[in-house]
Amino acid sequence: MSKIAVITDSNSGITFEEAKELGVKVVPMPFLINGETYFEEISLSQEEFYKHLGDNVDISTSQPSPEDVMKVWEEALEEADSVVYIPMSSGLSGSCQTAVMLSEEYDGRVQVVDNQRISVTQRQSVLDALELANAGWEASDIKEYLEKVKLESSIYIMLDTLKYLRKGGRITPAAAALGSALRLKPVLQIQGDKLDAFTIARTKKQGISKMIQAMEDDINNRFGGMDNIDNIHLAVAHTQNEEAALELKKTVMDKFGVSHVDVYPLSLSVSCHIGPGSLAIACSKAIDI
């Protein structure tokens, strides 16, 4: 059986410590803050990131350099026969396509998975890849399978503020001002390769209700129904809003009758565009092997 190394980037939310426990490697994502480059979890912690964000400085995401990506691959290939690399969605960053191009130099030993996921659903893809590798699958088969089931996941995110959507140019200043005046809570969705508007709520309570209803609709219409709930990974995520996330976890457990729901911070690459105070619900259909 081939030895396969699973590698992802820090958009998955997997920390270096968690990566060691799981037996995976993580490529840190760079951020530009006032023109200076920082690397997630190396020179930029979650706390430092949100402090910069609160100080209204210019923050933008960037791609890891080809040299940094290939260095991690080559270190893994010293011990493994092949690599399965799971970067963030190609629809949200050019880093995936760059990785695909770089992988052409490795004669099939590096398989780049473009399954259009990010944050908690990208994390689940890493866990799925590990399970498939342990079951004896080859790297190319893992890539093919994960891309085939790429749309079997959903994320719904309720924002606390429109400020960062306006700052990033995703909505106009006038729309942001009106929404803020009315205290509207936008709910976004990530399905496939885009971060899109889903609905608007007038209160946090209403926003949570709409996210749970949307997740229930997905489970019933796309993921096999409530009879299949044991084969669906449910998660709650947040941006600097852990207390509310833990409350939402209880609500999700009660609603869907499950005994386990993971809670994670949303990755900083998402936080950069939506700001602190958000809440999210995510689900991924379990792999079928």
Side-chain angles (χ1 to χ4, degrees):
M1 186 172 73
S2 299
K3 184 175 181 181
I4 296 173
V6 177
I7 302 175
T8 187
D9 59 39
S10 56
N11 290 302
S12 65
I14 296 175
T15 65
F16 292 146
E17 183 177 346
E18 289 172 326
K20 281 184 181 179
E21 294 174 1
L22 291 169
V24 304
K25 294 183 180 294
V26 175
V27 176
M29 296 302 292
F31 288 81
L32 292 175
I33 301 177
N34 281 342
E36 186 174 346
T37 301
Y38 293 81
F39 290 91
E40 187 168 350
E41 218 191 335
I42 295 176
S43 54
L44 182 67
S45 67
Q46 289 255 342
E47 293 76 15
E48 290 166 334
F49 171 84
Y50 283 111
K51 183 180 183 305
H52 286 303
L53 203 62
D55 290 341
N56 246 356
V57 300
D58 290 328
I59 301 180
S60 60
T61 55
S62 183
Q63 294 186 36
S65 71
E67 293 79 13
D68 287 345
V69 174
M70 290 188 293
K71 180 182 177 183
V72 178
W73 290 354
E74 287 164 9
E75 287 174 352
L77 288 171
E78 289 176 6
E79 298 181 358
D81 299 303
S82 53
V83 161
V84 173
Y85 181 53
I86 306 174
M88 72 182 290
S89 168
S90 61
L92 299 171
S93 169
S95 60
C96 182
Q97 290 306 319
T98 299
V100 170
M101 185 173 60
L102 295 174
S103 71
E104 294 172 359
E105 303 296 320
Y106 289 81
D107 297 322
R109 294 187 70 197
V110 175
Q111 297 288 325
V112 179
V113 178
D114 181 11
N115 70 336
Q116 298 177 353
R117 296 191 183 186
I118 191 170
S119 195
V120 289
T121 54
Q122 183 183 351
R123 173 194 288 265
Q124 187 58 52
S125 292
V126 173
L127 300 179
D128 292 344
L130 286 171
E131 185 177 345
L132 294 170
N134 290 333
W137 287 43
E138 295 296 328
S140 59
D141 295 327
I142 294 173
K143 165 190 163 68
E144 182 181 352
Y145 181 84
L146 292 180
E147 291 182 346
K148 184 177 76 172
V149 300
K150 63 186 178 182
L151 296 182
E152 294 183 352
S153 71
S154 293
I155 305 177
Y156 295 94
I157 312 170
M158 179 177 65
L159 276 57
D160 187 54
T161 174
L162 292 162
K163 172 182 176 181
Y164 299 94
L165 288 182
R166 180 193 62 76
K167 192 173 182 181
R170 291 180 179 268
I171 60 172
T172 66
L178 179 61
S180 297
L182 296 175
R183 297 185 179 180
L184 298 179
K185 303 294 180 187
V187 177
L188 310 181
Q189 68 178 121
I190 302 176
Q191 288 184 357
D193 61 354
K194 293 181 180 179
L195 176 67
D196 285 329
F198 177 69
T199 188
I200 292 288
R202 292 195 174 274
T203 64
K204 289 183 180 179
K205 184 177 180 181
Q206 186 185 62
I208 288 171
S209 177
K210 289 189 175 189
M211 288 196 297
I212 289 176
Q213 181 61 56
M215 191 62 66
E216 184 177 20
D217 290 344
D218 284 345
I219 290 169
N220 285 327
N221 298 321
R222 296 170 54 207
F223 304 143
M226 292 301 295
D227 289 342
N228 193 46
I229 195 67
D230 291 339
N231 295 313
I232 297 170
H233 302 289
L234 289 167
V236 166
H238 66 96
T239 56
Q240 216 179 26
N241 200 12
E242 186 174 15
E243 185 176 346
L246 292 173
E247 290 180 11
L248 179 55
K249 170 185 174 178
K250 294 177 184 175
T251 302
V252 172
M253 290 173 68
D254 291 342
K255 171 64 179 178
F256 295 108
V258 295
S259 59
H260 181 78
V261 172
D262 291 311
V263 178
Y264 300 112
L266 281 164
S267 60
L268 297 186
S269 53
V270 176
S271 308
C272 186
H273 299 292
I274 65 176
S278 70
L279 285 173
I281 302 175
C283 77
S284 301
K285 189 176 178 182
I287 57 176
D288 182 12
I289 58 173

